[in-house]
Amino acid sequence: MTTLGEIAVVAGAYLRGCDAATVIVGVAPLHRAEPGYLSFLTHRRYRACLETTRATAVILSPEDAASCSTPAVVAANPHVAYARAAALFAPVAESRRGVHCTAWVSPDSHIAADTWIGPHCVVEAGAVIEAGVVIGPGCVIGEYAIIGANSRLVAQVTICHRVRLGQRVLIHPGAVIGSDGFGLALDSKGRWLKVPQLGSVLIGDEVEIGANTTIDRGALEDTVIEDGVKLDNQIQIAHNVHIGAHSALAGCVGIAGSARIGRHCMLGGGVGIAGHLEIVDHVQITGMSLVTQSITESGVYSSGLAVEPNRIWNKISARLRRLDEIFRRLAALEKKSNRDGTL
Amino acid sequence: MTTLGEIAVVAGAYLRGCDAATVIVGVAPLHRAEPGYLSFLTHRRYRACLETTRATAVILSPEDAASCSTPAVVAANPHVAYARAAALFAPVAESRRGVHCTAWVSPDSHIAADTWIGPHCVVEAGAVIEAGVVIGPGCVIGEYAIIGANSRLVAQVTICHRVRLGQRVLIHPGAVIGSDGFGLALDSKGRWLKVPQLGSVLIGDEVEIGANTTIDRGALEDTVIEDGVKLDNQIQIAHNVHIGAHSALAGCVGIAGSARIGRHCMLGGGVGIAGHLEIVDHVQITGMSLVTQSITESGVYSSGLAVEPNRIWNKISARLRRLDEIFRRLAALEKKSNRDGTL
Amino acid sequence: MTTLGEIAVVAGAYLRGCDAATVIVGVAPLHRAEPGYLSFLTHRRYRACLETTRATAVILSPEDAASCSTPAVVAANPHVAYARAAALFAPVAESRRGVHCTAWVSPDSHIAADTWIGPHCVVEAGAVIEAGVVIGPGCVIGEYAIIGANSRLVAQVTICHRVRLGQRVLIHPGAVIGSDGFGLALDSKGRWLKVPQLGSVLIGDEVEIGANTTIDRGALEDTVIEDGVKLDNQIQIAHNVHIGAHSALAGCVGIAGSARIGRHCMLGGGVGIAGHLEIVDHVQITGMSLVTQSITESGVYSSGLAVEPNRIWNKISARLRRLDEIFRRLAALEKKSNRDGTL
């Protein structure tokens, strides 16, 4: 529970047509908001809902505010303002401090005073848990790993040996950081020999890592995730990958070994990036595309194909396999046309 | 161990050419069955095996029964009959009751009497575990989560705070239900600000969720999985997705935020569904297809391309990139042909 | 810390231009190696670095050794030699023996003497842990599962009931072996009935399984992973799949039920294999390809499409949907040309 005044301060917004002392009990979408609730307009699509919403006030842009009469919390970037306002209503992560009686913490680890180590956690020898860290139930922190200040591991997270996390890192359940990279050498009999994975993983500040995402340790040097990178669920990052600051990767992305992704990149869901290539800053790849070569210019790239009714797709797919034949038949016609002087 | 008579009752079938008192010790495929075993014919492909099987009896359809002499358990839907019969031979999930001595259960949780909370489980404050629930080793049940009656969490499952499961839900190891959605607002400096995820996840009755599948909580409203939905392994369901009753999704499917899937849909392995779209009931999408727009008619849809030898594929792929050129060259020839009156 | 002499012995190599007594403190890439370090040249791409490296010695092939003056550890297969040499510098997995005080081990399990069962592990009744096995923190071993000698489960691994692992198997965090297959029968009302999954999983010797990879148990017979198979992270293997010895699968591969993959196959990242098909030995599938039919000849196969700038791709994609029209228009022109006798 808070007031519109406090919301305006937190959101960097100003009030129009409403009173700073008005109490707000929660946030809700325009079509669902009851009196007492704050709502928001971040997409034109929902503009018509402004007329009918029962929300006490709505976060919106100066342009939208100009053309409507709703009591408004006006912000240059309503999405950012909403994110800040909504944080006032989010449950506090974990206010407990100390080590749960069922956790096992090595006497040779280093745990700052104001941290929380949850039930059934394991903290191995040499690990460092910095100030303000909250580790939820069932997490494993390997030997000599470092969890930077004010980071939070929600539950069942595995941090392998010597992995280093920056500050304010947030990791969701089931994520695995620092598993061995997939390094194999083929012997003369066609058998795979394991190449020891001697590097580690270095995670910057304010990185968020989704549920069941995996990040492998480097073969010799470190896998690096720079500051502010946001990774969704079920992402696979291979050894020695480097992801530049403030890039965001949607669910199910897979990045092969030693690929280098620039800063401020956005990868759509299910995108695949081949190994040993480089993508410059500010590149956006749409969903389910495949990148097999370096990208040297910023921009939007795609290779995903959208569905057709199956009967039609089967025909397209069959024709596709005869594409070379089309080229040859077309060229033959062109040649004939040019030779005869007529067509 | 049971009898053909009991099997017929459970499977809703009748016996032909065999005795209800005959003892059956197990189920096996036609080519492997020994005397004493029950087998089944659910696909025409294996019809020839009827001649040679050593099975004591075979579950099959009236049509197949008519044209063969095998002792038979005859059922209108042999696949369903087999599923029911085989259940008689499945190991009983867990007959233990109580709380394992290594589990940690908050004194502020509500645990029904006839439940089992396995080794190293964690049940947080406010959580409700209803009658008949079996929670296997290493599971985490977050604050105020509700696990509906007779549900089973196999092992290492994470149920985040306030998630609600219906009755008879079955969840396989490593699944994560209720992790934060991937909600981000971009500030003016190109940095991502987390949008608090204040909704939850609502799972219906008789839902099955595969190993390492992840389902994110809603941003404001709930992510909803309706009754009877079946999710295979490694599926990613983003925030505010809605999946209609009795839909089945194969492994590695990814569904982006706020997509709405109808009832009785079937998605093949690796399918990707973009966000903010709607798919009507009874839609089937074949494997590794991508859906980027709403589907308004039931039917089968595809966009996956099957492999060719690499050398041929590289040629097809190169030609594909020149498809626009083909169109232009073809149009030029057509124009010339029409203009000259000859071809 | 070791010597070049020991490295040569372990790697099956000989020294050229350097002294067997020389001390080596670690391994490093050519451009990063300091004096005291061993480096390696396994790819032509880095050949120029030989001139400037500060490494004390470099593992390389006889051909590369012939044309350069660097002190060399010469090996027929430098990649294999490097893998063996680097193993001298890898941290020893776990030298502890016994059962951690926080683990829960059923009195009805069978644990060999020289094993390690880590913190918060669960070993159920009937499970067999053979000699030399190391089980890291938070693992669950189900009833009657068998963990073969000298295998290692890194952390948070789930081995379900009756799964059998061979010797020297290595499993990374979050992997789930033996979860129920996705077996469903559709009843007359369009509801899914679970088909009990009564088979198990059989894993051969020297198999490596990546983080968060899932392998389902068979419906009636076993899912089989033969000796020496290497599975990367986030792979999904459905019920009754059979993978031949020494095949290697990159991250995010998905294999549908009852598919049979040959020996010495290589599947690139994100590849999808449909069910009930067979792939012969020595087949290689490039990244993000889809296999929908059996492959009967060894070789390299593909169906992945690489990105183009979005604007161009949209045009290609639109043209692709009109491919059938092109064929018809082209055929019409050809017909006209043949009829008129001119073109």
Side-chain angles (χ1 to χ4, degrees):
Chain A
M1 214 168 79
T2 180
T3 62
L4 282 177
E6 189 185 344
I7 286 168
V9 169
V10 166
Y14 62 90
L15 302 179
R16 206 215 50 192
C18 48
D19 182 359
T22 305
V23 168
I24 296 294
V25 300
V27 287
L30 286 167
H31 69 287
R32 285 274 193 121
E34 298 289 321
Y37 281 76
L38 173 71
S39 195
F40 55 97
L41 178 68
T42 56
H43 197 293
R44 285 274 145 156
R45 189 188 320 181
Y46 302 109
R47 211 162 176 293
C49 301
L50 277 183
E51 317 271 327
T52 53
T53 186
R54 303 178 65 211
T56 290
V58 177
I59 298 177
L60 36 62
S61 67
E63 304 80 63
D64 285 323
S67 61
C68 84
S69 59
T70 325
V73 179
V74 185
N77 184 333
H79 202 193
V80 165
Y82 168 72
R84 290 190 177 128
L88 297 171
F89 300 95
V92 177
E94 179 68 70
S95 53
R96 285 179 282 189
R97 288 291 177 261
V99 174
H100 192 274
C101 58
T102 61
W104 185 78
V105 172
S106 164
D108 298 325
S109 63
H110 308 273
I111 318 268
D114 61 341
T115 56
W116 169 247
I117 314 286
H120 294 310
C121 285
V122 175
V123 181
E124 300 275 15
V128 176
I129 313 296
E130 294 185 355
V133 165
V134 171
I135 301 184
C139 294
V140 171
I141 313 297
E143 293 183 354
Y144 299 98
I146 300 173
I147 312 298
N150 299 306
S151 291
R152 180 177 172 222
L153 281 52
V154 174
Q156 311 261 41
V157 170
T158 304
I159 306 293
C160 296
H161 62 281
R162 295 187 185 275
V163 166
R164 286 156 293 155
L165 308 185
Q167 302 192 355
R168 298 175 298 286
V169 169
L170 172 57
I171 308 187
H172 296 290
V176 176
I177 319 294
S179 38
D180 275 1
F182 198 55
L184 300 166
L186 197 60
D187 78 7
S188 57
K189 294 175 184 162
R191 292 162 194 237
W192 298 102
L193 193 68
K194 183 175 178 69
V195 176
Q197 300 294 300
L198 305 175
S200 186
V201 180
L202 181 57
I203 307 271
D205 294 339
E206 273 141 15
V207 168
E208 183 166 352
I209 298 173
N212 283 353
T213 279
T214 50
I215 304 178
D216 278 350
R217 63 194 314 115
L220 271 176
E221 302 182 82
D222 291 344
T223 302
V224 177
I225 312 293
E226 291 187 356
D227 292 350
V229 167
K230 308 296 178 182
L231 305 178
D232 197 356
N233 297 353
Q234 309 247 23
I235 288 172
Q236 152 65 358
I237 311 269
H239 53 183
N240 297 104
V241 165
H242 188 116
I243 302 185
H246 311 297
S247 285
L249 282 61
C252 308
V253 163
I255 306 190
S258 300
R260 210 180 159 89
I261 315 290
R263 295 159 62 99
H264 301 287
C265 289
M266 292 170 64
L267 308 193
V271 160
I273 310 283
H276 295 276
L277 57 72
E278 194 159 348
I279 294 177
V280 297
D281 297 349
H282 294 284
V283 165
Q284 190 177 339
I285 316 277
T286 62
M288 287 182 80
S289 298
L290 169 63
V291 180
T292 60
Q293 292 189 302
S294 289
I295 295 180
T296 55
E297 279 184 61
S298 68
V300 183
Y301 294 81
S302 305
S303 67
L305 291 170
V307 293
E308 293 280 347
N310 176 262
R311 194 176 34 80
I312 294 176
W313 184 255
N314 286 347
K315 197 174 283 187
I316 291 172
S317 175
R319 291 302 197 197
L320 181 64
R321 278 149 228 286
R322 293 174 59 194
L323 208 48
D324 197 47
E325 176 198 324
I326 299 210
F327 264 88
R328 282 185 280 103
R329 284 165 56 184
L330 180 62
L333 267 188
E334 286 172 333
K335 198 176 166 188
K336 195 172 172 190
S337 160
N338 288 336
R339 195 188 50 217
D340 298 354
T342 70
L343 187 73
Chain B
M1 214 168 78
T2 181
T3 61
L4 282 177
E6 188 185 345
I7 286 168
V9 170
V10 165
Y14 62 89
L15 302 180
R16 207 216 49 192
C18 47
D19 181 359
T22 306
V23 169
I24 296 294
V25 301
V27 286
L30 286 167
H31 68 288
R32 284 274 193 122
E34 297 290 322
Y37 281 77
L38 173 72
S39 195
F40 55 98
L41 178 67
T42 56
H43 198 292
R44 286 272 144 157
R45 189 188 320 181
Y46 302 108
R47 212 163 176 293
C49 301
L50 277 183
E51 316 272 326
T52 54
T53 186
R54 303 178 65 211
T56 289
V58 177
I59 297 177
L60 37 61
S61 68
E63 304 82 61
D64 285 323
S67 61
C68 82
S69 59
T70 325
V73 180
V74 185
N77 184 333
H79 202 193
V80 165
Y82 168 71
R84 290 191 177 129
L88 297 172
F89 301 96
V92 177
E94 177 71 69
S95 54
R96 286 179 281 189
R97 287 293 176 261
V99 175
H100 192 273
C101 58
T102 61
W104 186 78
V105 172
S106 165
D108 298 326
S109 63
H110 308 273
I111 318 269
D114 60 342
T115 56
W116 168 247
I117 313 287
H120 294 311
C121 285
V122 175
V123 181
E124 300 274 15
V128 176
I129 313 296
E130 294 185 355
V133 165
V134 171
I135 301 185
C139 294
V140 171
I141 314 298
E143 293 182 355
Y144 300 97
I146 300 173
I147 312 298
N150 300 306
S151 291
R152 181 175 171 223
L153 281 52
V154 176
Q156 310 262 40
V157 170
T158 304
I159 306 293
C160 297
H161 62 281
R162 294 186 186 276
V163 166
R164 287 157 291 156
L165 308 185
Q167 301 192 355
R168 298 175 300 285
V169 170
L170 172 58
I171 309 188
H172 296 289
V176 176
I177 319 294
S179 38
D180 275 1
F182 198 57
L184 301 166
L186 197 60
D187 78 8
S188 57
K189 293 175 183 162
R191 292 162 195 235
W192 298 103
L193 193 68
K194 183 176 178 68
V195 177
Q197 300 295 299
L198 305 175
S200 186
V201 180
L202 181 58
I203 307 273
D205 294 339
E206 273 141 15
V207 169
E208 182 167 352
I209 299 174
N212 283 353
T213 280
T214 51
I215 304 177
D216 279 350
R217 64 194 315 116
L220 270 177
E221 302 182 83
D222 290 344
T223 302
V224 177
I225 312 293
E226 290 187 355
D227 292 350
V229 167
K230 308 295 177 181
L231 304 178
D232 197 358
N233 298 352
Q234 308 249 22
I235 289 172
Q236 151 66 359
I237 311 269
H239 54 184
N240 297 104
V241 165
H242 188 115
I243 302 186
H246 311 297
S247 286
L249 282 62
C252 308
V253 163
I255 305 190
S258 301
R260 209 178 160 91
I261 315 290
R263 295 159 61 98
H264 300 288
C265 289
M266 293 171 63
L267 308 192
V271 160
I273 310 283
H276 295 275
L277 56 73
E278 194 159 346
I279 294 177
V280 297
D281 297 349
H282 294 285
V283 165
Q284 190 177 339
I285 316 277
T286 62
M288 287 182 80
S289 298
L290 169 64
V291 180
T292 60
Q293 292 188 304
S294 289
I295 294 180
T296 56
E297 280 184 60
S298 68
V300 184
Y301 294 81
S302 306
S303 67
L305 291 170
V307 293
E308 293 280 347
N310 176 261
R311 194 176 34 81
I312 294 175
W313 184 255
N314 285 346
K315 198 174 281 185
I316 292 171
S317 175
R319 292 302 197 196
L320 182 64
R321 279 150 227 288
R322 292 173 58 192
L323 209 48
D324 196 48
E325 177 197 322
I326 299 209
F327 264 88
R328 283 185 278 102
R329 283 166 56 184
L330 180 62
L333 268 189
E334 287 172 331
K335 196 175 167 189
K336 197 173 171 189
S337 161
N338 290 335
R339 195 187 51 218
D340 298 355
T342 72
L343 184 72
Chain C
M1 214 169 79
T2 182
T3 61
L4 281 178
E6 189 185 344
I7 287 169
V9 169
V10 166
Y14 63 88
L15 302 179
R16 206 214 52 191
C18 47
D19 182 359
T22 306
V23 168
I24 295 295
V25 301
V27 286
L30 286 167
H31 69 286
R32 284 274 193 120
E34 298 288 322
Y37 280 77
L38 174 71
S39 194
F40 56 98
L41 177 68
T42 56
H43 198 293
R44 285 272 144 158
R45 190 189 321 181
Y46 301 108
R47 215 166 173 291
C49 301
L50 277 182
E51 317 271 325
T52 54
T53 186
R54 302 178 66 213
T56 290
V58 177
I59 297 177
L60 37 62
S61 68
E63 305 81 62
D64 284 325
S67 63
C68 83
S69 59
T70 324
V73 180
V74 184
N77 185 332
H79 202 193
V80 166
Y82 168 70
R84 291 190 177 129
L88 297 172
F89 301 96
V92 177
E94 177 71 69
S95 53
R96 286 179 280 189
R97 287 293 176 261
V99 174
H100 193 272
C101 57
T102 61
W104 185 78
V105 171
S106 165
D108 298 325
S109 62
H110 308 272
I111 317 268
D114 61 340
T115 56
W116 169 246
I117 313 286
H120 294 311
C121 284
V122 175
V123 180
E124 300 275 15
V128 176
I129 313 295
E130 294 185 355
V133 166
V134 171
I135 302 183
C139 293
V140 171
I141 314 297
E143 292 183 356
Y144 300 97
I146 300 173
I147 312 297
N150 299 307
S151 291
R152 181 176 172 222
L153 280 53
V154 174
Q156 311 261 39
V157 169
T158 303
I159 306 293
C160 296
H161 62 282
R162 295 186 186 273
V163 166
R164 287 157 292 156
L165 308 185
Q167 302 192 354
R168 297 175 301 285
V169 169
L170 173 58
I171 309 187
H172 295 289
V176 176
I177 319 294
S179 38
D180 274 1
F182 198 56
L184 301 165
L186 197 60
D187 77 8
S188 58
K189 294 176 183 161
R191 292 163 194 233
W192 298 103
L193 192 68
K194 181 175 179 69
V195 176
Q197 301 294 298
L198 305 175
S200 185
V201 181
L202 181 57
I203 307 271
D205 295 338
E206 272 142 14
V207 169
E208 183 167 353
I209 298 174
N212 283 354
T213 279
T214 50
I215 304 178
D216 278 350
R217 65 193 315 113
L220 271 176
E221 302 182 82
D222 291 344
T223 303
V224 177
I225 312 292
E226 290 187 356
D227 293 350
V229 167
K230 308 296 177 180
L231 305 178
D232 197 358
N233 297 353
Q234 308 248 21
I235 288 172
Q236 152 66 357
I237 311 270
H239 54 183
N240 298 103
V241 165
H242 188 115
I243 302 186
H246 310 297
S247 285
L249 282 61
C252 308
V253 163
I255 305 191
S258 301
R260 209 179 159 89
I261 314 290
R263 296 159 61 97
H264 301 287
C265 289
M266 293 169 64
L267 308 192
V271 161
I273 310 283
H276 295 276
L277 57 72
E278 194 159 348
I279 295 177
V280 297
D281 298 348
H282 294 285
V283 165
Q284 190 177 339
I285 315 278
T286 62
M288 288 182 80
S289 297
L290 169 63
V291 180
T292 61
Q293 292 187 303
S294 289
I295 295 181
T296 56
E297 279 184 62
S298 69
V300 183
Y301 294 82
S302 305
S303 68
L305 291 171
V307 293
E308 293 280 346
N310 176 262
R311 193 176 34 80
I312 294 176
W313 184 255
N314 285 347
K315 197 174 282 185
I316 291 172
S317 175
R319 292 302 197 197
L320 182 64
R321 278 151 226 286
R322 292 174 60 193
L323 208 47
D324 197 47
E325 177 197 323
I326 298 209
F327 265 87
R328 283 185 280 101
R329 284 165 56 184
L330 180 61
L333 267 189
E334 287 172 331
K335 196 175 165 189
K336 196 172 172 189
S337 161
N338 289 335
R339 195 186 53 218
D340 299 355
T342 70
L343 185 71

